């Protein structure tokens, strides 16, 4: 900032007798050091004015330099302001790209593994194990700050972790029974369950929100009745998954209200660990007796054990990575933008898996899927205008 100084009083004038003016606010030139740089306070009237070599400092040099500095500063600020949105856009594009890529890889290798080893309870447990191991490694290496937890925090997590477990295992069961694209179409109906359950718990929604869920219901119904790989277990698995994740979101807001100091990634890490403790013992009871025989059959089918191990490993690693990427995306964007991005993610995943697995898609099935996805988009737009007291839920 440039300070403006008033000219000193006459008593301070001797201070300017120095020949050097490099540090002066007003550069006074005095070519003749024998003559005082300022006139006698009581000048003789008959003296020629030219005998008084008074050279008032020109105001142009310093202000011009100041102006240049200000211009340079404003130009630099403008450049920084222009670079900031650009760098943020690039970062967001990278995060979205990773989020979509991780999700596609997870869906492809999860389905590949389930096709030859149809035991979703074990595979779902392994995916939670990979996520738990990943988060414990981040905390141990101090790559992610480990939250300080206590008994009350663990107790608050028990409910959300239980519903997360239900949502995850139900989705895996659905993936094992029907095409990945069909599961994702049914999972696009999650906003319907969110509106219904939230309304039952006292939240109110405007008419536009209720209208937006109608095309979701219609589209999912049309897609279901025309699905080539239709299976009731697959349908119910996807529906129960929606219920589980919606209840997880609702109870997370209620039970974790006093733990806002824990960021999203750490919260998800602890939910994953507790979900593993919930799921694995049940998995042993449900299908544990079939794992050995199923493993030998899978190896016989694929021929190379390393390939099977790779598929299972990739499904576990990328399950956690795509969830981590989604939390990173949510940190940089609004819930509405995230919801729209999540809708587009389902479209990308559906297209990618149809191309990879060459699932037959009937015209009416494709139309129903498109209507359901459009309804999800309309829902995200309608909830953006909803009163702030009702927050949007995060879809998985």
């Amino acid at each position: 900032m440039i300070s403006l100084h008033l000219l000193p009083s006459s008593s301070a004038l001797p201070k300017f007798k120095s020949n050097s003016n490099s540090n002066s606010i007003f550069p006074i030139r005095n070519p003749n050091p024998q003559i005082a740089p300022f006139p006698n306070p009581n000048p003789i009237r008959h003296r020629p004015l030219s005998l008084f070599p008074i050279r008032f400092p020109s105001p142009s040099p310093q202000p011009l330099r100041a102006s240049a500095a200000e211009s340079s500063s404003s130009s630099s600020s403008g450049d920084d302001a222009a670079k900031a949105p650009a760098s943020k856009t690039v970062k967001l594009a990278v995060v979205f790209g990773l989020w979509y890529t991780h999700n596609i890889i997870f869906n492809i290798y999860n389905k590949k593994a389930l096709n030859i080893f149809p035991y979703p309870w074990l595979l779902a447990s392994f995916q939670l194990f990979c996520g738990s191991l990943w988060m414990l490694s981040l905390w141990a290496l101090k790559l992610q700050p480990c939250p300080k937890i206590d008994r009350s925090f663990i107790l608050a997590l028990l409910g959300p972790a239980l519903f997360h477990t239900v949502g995850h295992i139900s989705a895996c069961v659905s993936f094992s029974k029907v095409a990945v694209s069909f599961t994702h179409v049914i999972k696009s109906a999650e906003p319907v369950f969110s509106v219904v359950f939230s309304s039952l718990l006292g939240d109110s929604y405007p008419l536009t929100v209720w209208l937006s869920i109608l095309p979701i219901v219609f589209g999912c119904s049309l897609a279901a009745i025309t699905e080539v790989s239709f299976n009731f277990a697959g349908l119910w698995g996807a529906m129960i998954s929606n219920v589980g994740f919606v209840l997880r979101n609702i109870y997370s807001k209620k039970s974790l209200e006093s733990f806002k100091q824990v960021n999203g990634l750490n919260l998800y890490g602890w939910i994953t660990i507790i979900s593993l403790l919930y799921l694995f013992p049940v998995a042993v009871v449900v299908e544990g007796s079939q794992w050995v025989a199923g493993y030998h059959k899978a190896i016989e089918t694929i021929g190379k054990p390393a390939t099977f191990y790779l598929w299972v490993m990739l499904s576990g690693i990328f399950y956690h990575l795509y969830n981590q990427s989604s939390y990173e995306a949510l940190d940089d964007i609004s819930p509405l933008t995230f919801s729209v991005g999540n809708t587009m993610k389902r479209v990308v995943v559906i297209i990618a898996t149809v191309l990879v697995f060459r699932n037959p898609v009937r015209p009416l099935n494709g139309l129903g899927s498109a209507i359901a996805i459009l309804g999800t988009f309309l829902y995200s737009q309608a909830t953006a205008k909803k009163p702030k007291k009702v927050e949007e839920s995060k879809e998985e």
Side-chain angles (χ1 to χ4, degrees):
M1 181 181 292
I2 299 173
S3 302
L4 298 179
H5 298 273
L6 297 176
L7 285 172
S9 64
S10 60
S11 61
L13 293 180
K15 293 181 180 179
F16 290 89
K17 288 185 180 181
S18 172
N19 292 333
S20 174
N21 58 15
S22 60
N23 296 323
S24 301
I25 299 298
F26 296 95
I28 303 174
R29 301 177 181 177
N30 184 14
N32 190 351
Q34 302 299 322
I35 303 176
F38 289 92
N40 190 320
N42 300 308
I44 301 174
R45 294 182 181 275
H46 65 273
R47 284 184 178 179
L49 187 60
S50 60
L51 294 179
F52 294 84
I54 304 173
R55 299 192 179 187
F56 290 100
S58 171
S60 58
Q62 191 70 20
L64 279 177
R65 285 194 293 272
S67 251
E70 288 177 356
S71 175
S72 174
S73 175
S74 63
S75 175
S76 175
S77 299
D79 291 343
D80 291 341
K83 289 177 182 178
S87 61
K88 185 176 180 181
T89 302
V90 171
K91 178 186 175 184
L92 195 57
V94 170
V95 171
F96 263 74
L98 291 174
W99 179 22
Y100 284 24
T101 303
H102 294 161
N103 202 293
I104 291 171
I105 295 174
F106 160 71
N107 279 278
I108 290 174
Y109 286 100
N110 182 58
K111 183 61 176 176
K112 281 179 175 287
L114 286 171
N115 281 342
I116 63 172
F117 186 76
Y119 300 100
W121 289 79
L122 177 58
L123 198 59
S125 299
F126 179 75
Q127 289 160 0
L128 292 175
F129 171 75
C130 287
S132 301
L133 190 62
W134 184 281
M135 290 305 302
L136 290 172
S137 299
L138 291 182
W139 292 331
L141 298 174
K142 297 183 179 180
L143 298 176
Q144 173 74 12
C146 182
K148 294 181 179 179
I149 61 170
D150 53 18
R151 184 171 177 271
S152 61
F153 177 69
I154 297 298
L155 290 176
L157 280 179
L158 293 180
L162 175 62
F163 291 121
H164 178 79
T165 306
V166 172
H168 179 49
I169 181 56
S170 300
C172 281
V173 169
S174 180
F175 285 134
S176 70
K177 301 295 183 181
V178 294
V180 175
S181 56
F182 178 67
T183 300
H184 276 282
V185 170
I186 302 304
K187 282 178 66 63
S188 68
E190 188 173 319
V192 178
F193 295 90
S194 180
V195 171
V196 171
F197 282 106
S198 296
S199 298
L200 292 176
L201 292 175
D203 288 339
S204 60
Y205 288 85
L207 180 61
T208 53
V209 174
W210 287 99
L211 291 176
S212 70
I213 68 176
L214 295 180
I216 300 177
V217 175
F218 175 73
C220 288
S221 301
L222 182 60
I225 62 177
T226 58
E227 174 60 34
V228 175
S229 65
F230 180 82
N231 177 285
F232 274 108
L235 173 64
W236 282 108
M239 298 282 278
I240 294 173
S241 177
N242 286 337
V243 174
F245 287 132
V246 166
L247 292 178
R248 178 201 64 181
N249 295 335
I250 291 174
Y251 279 92
S252 290
K253 294 173 188 175
K254 293 183 177 298
S255 61
L256 298 172
E257 185 69 24
S258 59
F259 300 98
K260 292 182 178 180
Q261 74 278 8
V262 182
N263 65 30
L265 184 56
N266 283 336
L267 180 62
Y268 179 74
W270 279 108
I271 287 178
T272 299
I273 293 172
I274 298 176
S275 294
L276 174 62
L277 299 177
Y278 276 136
L279 183 59
F280 185 68
V282 181
V284 173
V285 174
V286 172
E287 59 183 26
S289 60
Q290 308 171 55
W291 288 344
V292 175
Y295 167 77
H296 290 299
K297 186 176 180 180
I299 298 303
E300 182 182 348
T301 301
I302 199 170
K304 296 181 179 179
T307 303
F308 174 68
Y309 301 151
L310 178 64
W311 290 356
V312 173
M313 186 66 67
L314 289 176
S315 75
I317 292 174
F318 282 96
Y319 171 75
H320 179 79
L321 286 180
Y322 97 75
N323 279 287
Q324 179 174 313
S325 301
S326 71
Y327 274 100
E328 291 176 1
L330 190 58
D331 286 340
D332 295 331
I333 59 179
S334 66
L336 173 60
T337 305
F338 180 87
S339 181
V340 174
N342 196 59
T343 303
M344 295 302 103
K345 178 208 71 178
R346 293 203 189 280
V347 175
V348 172
V349 170
I350 289 172
I351 294 173
T353 54
V354 166
L355 293 176
V356 170
F357 296 106
R358 301 184 182 279
N359 301 323
V361 179
R362 296 172 180 173
L364 285 178
N365 182 267
L367 177 62
S369 302
I371 293 174
I373 297 297
L374 175 62
T376 306
F377 175 78
L378 295 176
Y379 167 82
S380 67
Q381 297 295 313
T383 51
K385 302 176 182 178
K386 191 177 180 301
K388 292 184 178 180
K389 65 178 182 178
V390 179
E391 301 176 1
E392 289 188 343
S393 64
K394 177 184 179 300
E395 299 179 30
E396 175 163 315

